[in-house]
Amino acid sequence: MTRRLLLALVWLTGLATIIASTLTDEDPEDPPVPVTVDFTIASLETPLGREVDSRLVEIDDMLLGGRYDSTQGATLTLDRSFVELNNTSRFTLNVTAKTTDELLEGTADFNVTAPLDVGLDRNPTAGQFSTLFDGTTTLVSVTANGVETIVGDSMTTDSYSWSDFAALEDDNDAALDLRMASAAYNMIEVVLRTSLLLEDIITDVEDNKTVLEGMNLNQSLALTCDNTAADGNGESVLFWTTDASGSGAGSIGDGDAFEARYENCRDSSRSHFLEGSVLLENYDPAGDTGFSIFSIDGDLRALFLADAEIDLGTTPADASPRYNGTLFLFYVELEQQQTRL
């Protein structure tokens, strides 16, 4: 699905409920205005992938959507305890083995079949999803203690804790259908981590907007990493690479592009080290007043997200996976519908 078509679909289905913004200042005594934030995360040209030493897992044809409640003007972000993926969310999973010992390989279709609440560093408490691999459907249902799985036409339901289910991806003794379902679930974390990283880079852009606008394009702006003395040197550099023509030329805004480069840069807020680069294009920060919109295209270039210090010699592994690929983020505030009595 092209970015242009995806934007058109989102506008047609969601933005019809937006109220036009005004230029008048709000009374500071007015209570916060409740809104609903719709979000869409979608594939672009290059599949988003996570590579470790034994395999490469990629997702394509991705369209994840959902919503959360907020207040008007609050930061549009998926950095929250959980977000709900709606039951139209989907992607295609492709697994490529890198060693002869790795048995997991092939393609599976992932679909959310009941709204699934997800978040980083927490387990879902509701929802259901399925994976279709080699003609067999595996159904995964969230329970109070983890998940229950049914493979194909089996009359047997198997139960797992969340940690055991997530670990099935790495278990060469487990059934391939269950390993595929586990791999699909684990890729949701990859999508969330990537989305939050793109959000963090845009926050760096906005926090340094005046400085960047006072520099020439493609000039490097050094930012601070959270490295301790034991972590080695870390480097984070930000570039404003494209200033879109038009009325906003000369100022950071619609259509602009950026690049972030990292070398062994510790990010304490996300509990990992970064090594590599990220390109961002088609920035849309519309909505300084009224109902807000945020969208960006992200392109990850051999980006390591590691648990410990990394360098040029780092190889992909469970503790230092390498991310590649592209995705599109679109968040929009909508008027929260009021129920009339």
Side-chain angles (χ1 to χ4, degrees):
M1 183 180 295
T2 65
R3 182 180 188 278
R4 209 177 270 276
L5 176 59
L6 180 58
L7 275 171
L9 288 173
V10 174
W11 278 99
L12 287 172
T13 58
L15 300 188
T17 59
I18 295 180
I19 296 178
S21 61
T22 66
L23 299 178
T24 57
D25 292 332
E26 290 188 69
D27 186 335
E29 299 301 320
D30 287 346
V33 177
V35 296
T36 296
V37 177
D38 269 16
F39 64 87
T40 300
I41 310 173
S43 294
L44 292 173
E45 292 78 11
T46 306
L48 178 66
R50 179 182 187 271
E51 182 181 5
V52 295
D53 52 354
S54 61
R55 63 186 169 273
L56 170 64
V57 183
E58 298 176 301
I59 50 177
D60 202 358
D61 190 30
M62 174 177 61
L63 185 61
L64 302 180
R67 56 178 48 192
Y68 64 85
D69 292 335
S70 185
T71 56
Q72 187 176 0
T75 301
L76 302 180
T77 176
L78 299 185
D79 188 7
R80 45 209 327 107
S81 58
F82 76 88
V83 293
E84 184 179 88
L85 298 181
N86 59 36
N87 57 3
T88 62
S89 296
R90 67 171 196 272
F91 56 72
T92 299
L93 185 78
N94 297 289
V95 181
T96 303
K98 294 174 57 182
T99 68
T100 56
D101 293 332
E102 177 57 79
L103 302 180
L104 185 63
E105 189 164 39
T107 299
D109 293 325
F110 168 89
N111 288 277
V112 174
T113 50
L116 181 68
D117 66 294
V118 296
L120 291 178
D121 303 319
R122 70 175 300 278
N123 298 324
T125 57
Q128 185 184 74
F129 65 87
S130 68
T131 54
L132 176 62
F133 171 56
D134 199 21
T136 300
T137 297
T138 299
L139 189 65
V140 181
S141 302
V142 179
T143 67
N145 300 311
V147 299
E148 289 183 348
T149 63
I150 301 176
V151 179
D153 297 328
S154 172
M155 301 299 292
T156 302
T157 298
D158 293 317
S159 299
Y160 299 90
S161 67
W162 276 111
S163 59
D164 288 344
F165 178 72
L168 286 174
E169 178 183 355
D170 296 318
D171 186 356
N172 251 349
D173 294 326
L176 292 180
D177 294 290
L178 288 173
R179 292 189 67 190
M180 274 292 184
S182 173
Y185 171 73
N186 291 338
M187 283 302 290
I188 295 175
E189 178 179 339
V190 173
V191 173
L192 289 178
R193 288 199 181 281
T194 303
S195 300
L196 295 181
L197 175 60
L198 301 187
E199 292 178 14
D200 289 345
I201 296 171
I202 290 301
T203 296
D204 287 337
V205 168
E206 293 295 331
D207 287 348
N208 295 279
K209 191 172 183 178
T210 301
V211 176
L212 289 168
E213 290 172 345
M215 301 166 58
N216 293 324
L217 289 179
N218 295 300
Q219 244 186 324
S220 63
L221 173 64
L223 302 179
T224 302
C225 296
D226 300 323
N227 294 47
T228 66
D231 295 330
N233 294 324
E235 183 176 307
S236 173
V237 182
L238 182 64
F239 300 83
W240 183 17
T241 57
T242 300
D243 181 14
S245 59
S247 59
S251 300
I252 289 174
D254 290 355
D256 288 359
F258 312 91
E259 179 179 359
R261 297 179 191 169
Y262 305 98
E263 291 185 13
N264 189 45
C265 181
R266 180 172 179 264
D267 181 351
S268 60
S269 66
R270 304 295 180 201
S271 301
H272 54 226
F273 289 76
L274 297 168
E275 174 93 19
S277 62
V278 183
L279 309 181
L280 298 94
E281 297 181 336
N282 299 312
Y283 180 37
D284 183 357
D288 290 336
T289 61
F291 289 79
S292 298
I293 297 170
F294 164 70
S295 73
I296 196 73
D297 295 349
D299 184 352
L300 281 66
R301 302 289 182 92
L303 182 77
F304 283 93
L305 275 76
D307 295 340
E309 181 180 353
I310 47 181
D311 56 35
L312 293 176
T314 298
T315 57
D318 286 340
S320 55
R322 181 164 58 197
Y323 289 15
N324 283 285
T326 57
L327 77 167
F328 163 61
L329 305 184
F330 185 91
Y331 310 156
V332 58
E333 285 183 346
L334 305 175
E335 178 189 16
Q336 200 167 87
Q337 300 297 310
Q338 302 294 322
T339 302
R340 293 180 178 271
L341 298 179

